[in-house]
Amino acid sequence: MAETLLEVSGLSRYFTVGKRKTLKAVDEVSMTMRRGETLGLVGESGCGKSTLGRTIIGLYEPTAGTVRFDGATVTAGRHRELALRMQMIFQDPYTSLNPRMKVSDILAEGIDNHRLARSTADRSQRIVDLLESVGLSQEHANRYPHEFSGGQRQRICIARALSVRPDFIIADEPISSLDVSIQAQVVNLLQDLQREMGLTYLFIAHDMSMVRCISDRIGVMYLGSLAELASSEDLFAKPLHPYTRALLSAIPIPDPKEERGRRRIMLKGAVRSPIDMPPGCKFASRCECRKDICLADAPRLREVEPGHFCACHDV
Amino acid sequence: MAENNAAVLSVENMSVSIKTDSGIVRAVRGVSFSLNQGETLAIVGESGSGKTMTCKGVIGLLPPGGTIDGGTVKLNGLDVTHAHENTLRHIRGSTISMIFQDPLTSLNPTTPIGRQIEEMMLLHRPDMNKQARKARVLEMLDLVGISNPHERVKQYPHQFSGGMRQRVMIAIALTLSPKMLIADEPTTALDVTIQAQILELMKDIQRKTNTAIIIITHNLGVVASVADHVAVMYGGRIIEEGNSDDIFYRRKHPYTQGLLDSAPKINRAERRLFSIPGSPPDLVNPPEGCPFAARCGSRMKVCGAYQPPPIRFNGEHSAACWLYDGRAVRKEAGSNG
């Protein structure tokens, strides 16, 4: 399990907006992922978690830094083998399936493009296997996406990602558009598939409680940078970064007695614009424990305790 | 929720149908509840359970093709079930207001927000002069925690963040001091730290103004943090209702149980989530018996055939489930033995 599958170092992705203004969507992110683990990536909208995912998989060309996958460097025009081994699942199962294609054709697209099937019989067998692996059945193959519910569509998206037998899946908010009871079904399915196929997941979400269930480790992003990265247990048991602490305390708990006795760390204001940021810590404007150094110097992500990384001057 | 004279809203056996291309959707099938001044009722349920249509029926904002085809809605003792649009227009804003999930599409992008708040008074309060209206606008912005109100009134919705826009929506909804506010998923589109701010604001305003609030949500954490009473909807019916503690600690209905179990707990590590198999019923052809029967682990023969009556446990806590009806349980035991 200790084998490194993915290595991200100093990865940045900037966008130019308006006249010579720079939006630093992802700003010098470094992390590694072991084979077979699930890394949860959380943060509020606009923190760059989706952009990070898309840059890792090569949908965006990085502005700086590198992504190494199983020893090979990933670039936007990456070669065939890497395309097979990394797949992505998107948030909205309504817009990520072609409404004019039958489910069987949606699932076969990857198989056909990469010529994975040995024969027509093998092709249809693969489609049946894929449907069954995500809890659908053979008769669903000839239907169109509009005939399915949201949860079923997300299962089709998962089956499509699995069709080329990848090692690594980036799931970008895969359950956010689903109902609570359906979310649980999809999360359990992802966990079953991981166990059966030895998959590695980068699970991007904003729902901390769901992320806790599925992740081995969790990274917290704020305005393009990793604020904290630790094992699931450590992050929830002793969050170090002031932002992580505020984020955790903002989550409402489905237990009225506990809610009544809770003291929240209320963050003032909203996330600032990531365009033309001043130097210093990105969280400084909302931070309870701000010091002078925070405004002058951006803290680096460092290992505070074994396996527990945090980017804060105060820790 | 016990019927009494102070009820701001009382809904009696209301049904709502919507004509669509694929048939008539029986979106709400006989719901009853009431709400007093200063209280918060949370309506919980999954998409398609009828929670939004219940509230739109109450406020008279059903989509085209939608009608209330049974029961009554009383606001402040006044029957508004089939009230004329003119009457409803007068009631909306002054007696009852609604805010929606997406504040960006609910605000007019071409009008400064000060003007949008003032519009409420232009329509409903001809007695107020310009000065009084401007003063009220500033007062409202202050109430919802928007700093620098003198500057902000001149700005347009796109100059506000998501959380700030929802604050503006709340300001508009409460300008005329309505007795009741309906909030339809008010924080679903917001980030958690902003959600915490908005929920805190709603509680704070309720303490100051004694407004009755109905909050529609699927987030059980939000329910636990704001609700006095909870109604759980499924398949167009209220399947369980009670005070917050009844629902969270003494729930009776298997669906409520499943819903609470499938929500991940932030304060407890668990790798495997409970999930309810199957999916909700199609309300074009609603099931004859209990709407949850097809997915229920404790299903009995009677469940598929007859709709269970609400069974009262204590005070206001009731659940519509045959498991708590002695007759059904005896019959099931008899037929098995």
Side-chain angles (χ1 to χ4, degrees):
Chain A
M1 289 293 270
E3 186 196 344
T4 301
L5 183 69
L6 182 83
E7 199 177 343
V8 175
S9 48
L11 193 69
S12 299
R13 169 69 210 191
Y14 299 166
F15 295 96
T16 311
V17 282
K19 273 188 186 158
R20 266 166 277 149
K21 279 185 178 170
T22 313
L23 187 156
K24 297 184 174 178
V26 174
D27 197 13
E28 292 187 38
V29 170
S30 300
M31 61 181 197
T32 57
M33 285 181 70
R34 294 184 304 274
R35 190 182 288 278
E37 83 165 336
T38 300
L39 180 74
L41 207 52
V42 294
E44 297 181 271
S45 34
C47 72
K49 52 192 193 300
S50 291
T51 310
L52 177 59
R54 285 163 180 242
T55 313
I56 288 175
I57 206 169
L59 286 175
Y60 292 138
E61 185 91 52
T63 309
T66 53
V67 178
R68 291 179 71 76
F69 181 80
D70 210 7
T73 305
V74 181
T75 52
R78 68 227 148 99
H79 48 84
R80 210 175 181 84
E81 193 222 2
L82 281 183
L84 287 178
R85 296 182 59 191
M86 296 168 95
Q87 287 294 314
M88 194 149 180
I89 302 166
F90 298 91
Q91 171 171 0
D92 187 354
Y94 290 83
T95 54
S96 50
L97 294 172
N98 187 337
R100 297 161 153 228
M101 282 169 82
K102 281 184 193 164
V103 169
S104 56
D105 295 327
I106 290 171
L107 297 183
E109 211 175 14
I111 300 175
D112 294 345
N113 283 346
H114 294 285
R115 300 197 183 85
L116 297 178
R118 287 184 299 276
S119 61
T120 324
D122 183 30
R123 181 180 183 267
S124 22
Q125 187 54 46
R126 277 177 188 243
I127 292 168
V128 174
D129 291 347
L130 283 168
L131 283 170
E132 280 169 2
S133 69
V134 297
L136 297 172
S137 63
Q138 200 169 346
E139 56 258 33
H140 291 118
N142 286 321
R143 298 199 196 155
Y144 289 91
H146 76 265
E147 299 175 68
F148 294 89
S149 67
Q152 287 175 317
R153 281 179 217 214
Q154 200 55 288
R155 287 171 190 268
I156 297 169
C157 292
I158 294 171
R160 177 177 60 182
L162 295 174
S163 68
V164 295
R165 307 207 170 148
D167 303 312
F168 179 58
I169 290 183
I170 296 183
D172 189 357
E173 304 261 12
I175 51 169
S176 308
S177 60
L178 307 176
D179 276 316
V180 185
S181 72
I182 310 295
Q183 285 188 350
Q185 291 176 4
V186 172
V187 164
N188 287 341
L189 171 67
L190 286 170
Q191 289 186 339
D192 291 343
L193 292 169
Q194 179 171 44
R195 212 170 26 247
E196 285 160 27
M197 308 183 179
L199 295 166
T200 307
Y201 289 140
L202 180 64
F203 189 89
I204 302 171
H206 65 270
D207 180 348
M208 295 283 276
S209 25
M210 221 26 123
V211 169
R212 177 177 203 182
C213 287
I214 193 168
S215 308
D216 302 303
R217 290 192 301 151
I218 296 177
V220 180
M221 281 188 83
Y222 192 80
L223 282 176
S225 304
L226 274 174
E228 191 162 355
L229 176 67
S231 72
S232 259
E233 293 82 52
D234 283 355
L235 192 88
F236 281 87
K238 39 176 183 180
L240 295 175
H241 199 286
Y243 176 63
T244 313
R245 290 206 298 268
L247 198 61
L248 290 178
S249 95
I251 301 163
I253 299 174
D255 186 330
K257 280 182 189 146
E258 218 158 311
E259 272 295 317
R260 273 171 227 146
R262 223 157 148 227
R263 204 195 71 83
R264 287 220 151 84
I265 306 168
M266 279 288 178
L267 284 183
K268 295 263 169 5
V271 183
R272 54 156 303 151
S273 153
I275 300 168
D276 285 340
M277 296 266 289
C281 176
K282 291 168 175 169
F283 185 60
S285 61
R286 299 170 87 190
C287 186
E288 292 193 309
C289 347
R290 182 179 58 230
K291 295 198 175 75
D292 290 343
I293 185 175
C294 304
L295 295 171
D297 201 13
R300 302 224 146 243
L301 191 71
R302 59 198 169 86
E303 193 160 9
V304 181
E305 282 163 39
H308 197 140
F309 298 82
C310 182
C312 180
H313 291 300
D314 202 35
V315 175
Chain B
M1 275 131 271
E3 191 75 33
N4 73 41
N5 295 333
V8 181
L9 172 73
S10 76
V11 174
E12 221 27 83
N13 204 20
M14 181 179 74
S15 298
V16 172
S17 301
I18 302 155
K19 276 204 191 86
T20 65
D21 292 343
S22 45
I24 297 172
V25 180
R26 311 270 171 214
V28 180
R29 304 187 292 143
V31 301
S32 304
F33 58 91
S34 70
L35 188 63
N36 297 336
Q37 202 73 69
E39 288 180 346
T40 301
L41 166 71
I43 302 183
V44 212
E46 299 179 70
S47 0
S49 61
K51 53 195 197 302
T52 297
M53 285 308 150
T54 300
C55 290
K56 292 200 164 167
V58 166
I59 197 172
L61 284 177
L62 288 171
T67 47
I68 298 182
D69 54 4
T72 54
V73 179
K74 280 186 185 162
L75 261 178
N76 261 343
L78 179 73
D79 190 335
V80 294
T81 322
H82 300 288
H84 192 267
E85 180 57 28
N86 287 345
T87 321
L88 283 173
R89 196 170 288 166
H90 178 71
I91 290 167
R92 284 196 294 260
S94 59
T95 311
I96 179 168
S97 264
M98 186 158 181
I99 58 173
F100 301 90
Q101 176 172 346
D102 183 358
L104 186 58
T105 53
S106 321
L107 289 167
N108 183 342
T110 64
T111 308
I113 62 108
R115 174 77 189 175
Q116 296 192 48
I117 299 174
E118 199 185 339
E119 224 161 47
M120 293 293 282
M121 293 171 273
L122 285 168
L123 288 171
H124 291 277
R125 295 286 302 274
D127 57 307
M128 284 175 88
N129 64 20
K130 196 171 176 183
Q131 246 175 341
R133 289 197 304 265
K134 297 276 183 222
R136 180 69 177 160
V137 169
L138 294 177
E139 190 190 336
M140 289 314 295
L141 287 179
D142 191 51
L143 179 73
V144 297
I146 293 179
S147 54
N148 225 344
H150 287 278
E151 290 299 309
R152 296 294 244 173
V153 287
K154 293 176 224 145
Q155 293 184 338
Y156 292 86
H158 75 268
Q159 293 168 294
F160 288 76
S161 66
M164 283 295 156
R165 284 182 204 133
Q166 197 58 286
R167 286 171 194 262
V168 172
M169 284 305 298
I170 295 174
I172 294 175
L174 297 179
T175 305
L176 301 172
S177 313
K179 298 243 178 315
M180 202 180 125
L181 175 70
I182 298 176
D184 187 358
E185 303 268 10
T187 59
T188 308
L190 306 175
D191 283 314
V192 287
T193 59
I194 310 299
Q195 165 173 285
Q197 292 172 358
I198 296 290
L199 293 177
E200 206 48 51
L201 172 72
M202 287 174 61
K203 282 193 261 188
D204 187 45
I205 288 178
Q206 186 172 49
R207 273 192 296 271
K208 285 181 190 154
T209 61
N210 212 25
T211 313
I213 295 178
I214 294 184
I215 181 166
I216 303 175
T217 180
H218 64 269
N219 186 328
L220 294 164
V222 171
V223 176
S225 114
V226 300
D228 302 309
H229 307 285
V230 183
V232 183
M233 287 195 73
Y234 190 83
R237 294 181 188 272
I238 293 179
I239 52 108
E240 183 160 4
E241 61 178 320
N243 66 34
S244 184
D245 285 5
D246 289 334
I247 300 295
F248 280 94
Y249 306 122
R250 295 180 288 275
R251 61 237 180 183
K252 300 288 185 188
H253 200 286
Y255 175 66
T256 315
Q257 180 77 45
L259 196 64
L260 287 162
D261 287 348
S262 57
K265 318 290 178 295
I266 196 82
N267 44 354
R268 205 160 63 224
E270 55 189 346
R271 289 300 293 217
R272 195 78 194 163
L273 287 171
F274 175 82
S275 74
I276 308 171
S279 45
D282 172 16
L283 292 180
V284 174
N285 297 304
E288 206 127 299
C290 171
F292 187 59
R295 299 172 80 186
C296 183
S298 332
R299 180 177 54 244
M300 299 183 291
K301 281 188 193 112
V302 64
C303 301
Y306 298 99
Q307 170 60 36
I311 293 170
R312 199 159 283 280
F313 296 101
N314 65 48
E316 49 177 320
H317 186 196
S318 69
C321 178
W322 284 116
L323 286 176
Y324 303 99
D325 189 306
R327 292 169 302 170
V329 176
R330 274 196 303 278
K331 184 139 190 168
E332 183 77 7
S335 70
N336 285 346

